[in-house]
Amino acid sequence: MVLEAALREKHPSSPVDALSDLRNVGPVTRKNFRLLEIETLEQLAAQNADDLFRRLSEMRGERVDPCVHDIFGATIHQARTGNALPWWHFSGARKQRQKAGTFPKSYQDARRR
């Protein structure tokens, strides 16, 4: 993948963890990717933020902050396009979906219904 090749060129002597090098990925998001068994940019690029949000919520058995969905959207976008947008760029669309009732329910939210 182009992004991974660019990271290898930038840091030729160090092992590349392309997921950790994405703009919006810190230790917690990297841990979430491991839990979701996503280890490569190719795997991430093939994902859907709604599906990742639902799966993470079910795996953790607790409410997941909706901003995690925004981070998933941003990282998937970067993995697909190489364009590193801030996670909050995706918040507006998510908030509109929450208002419309089309946003996926987190584990705790779904259990309340």
Side-chain angles (χ1 to χ4, degrees):
M1 187 167 249
V2 176
L3 182 59
E4 198 159 344
L7 291 170
R8 287 187 202 287
E9 188 174 303
K10 188 176 176 182
H11 305 286
S13 62
S14 64
V16 174
D17 178 359
L19 294 176
S20 291
D21 286 337
L22 293 175
R23 176 179 183 166
N24 297 284
V25 176
V28 172
T29 299
R30 187 63 185 96
K31 184 178 175 182
N32 288 338
F33 285 153
R34 281 191 189 99
L35 182 63
L36 292 162
E37 299 179 348
I38 298 170
E39 295 295 335
T40 68
L41 287 174
E42 290 81 9
Q43 289 173 324
L44 181 60
Q47 301 300 314
N48 171 285
D50 286 359
D51 293 338
L52 292 181
F53 184 78
R54 277 190 206 100
R55 285 178 42 214
L56 182 63
S57 178
E58 289 171 8
M59 290 174 145
R60 291 167 85 187
E62 62 187 21
R63 183 182 181 280
V64 175
D65 187 312
C67 292
V68 171
H69 187 278
D70 305 342
I71 293 169
F72 288 157
T75 57
I76 291 167
H77 176 79
Q78 186 177 0
R80 289 178 182 168
T81 69
N83 185 14
L85 298 172
W87 63 267
W88 58 86
H89 178 83
F90 296 81
S91 298
R94 184 238 324 142
K95 288 177 182 179
Q96 286 180 342
R97 289 182 61 204
Q98 284 176 304
K99 273 187 174 179
T102 60
F103 184 74
K105 300 292 183 197
S106 181
Y107 179 82
Q108 293 268 339
D109 298 331
R111 291 191 65 193
R112 288 186 197 137
R113 296 185 111 202

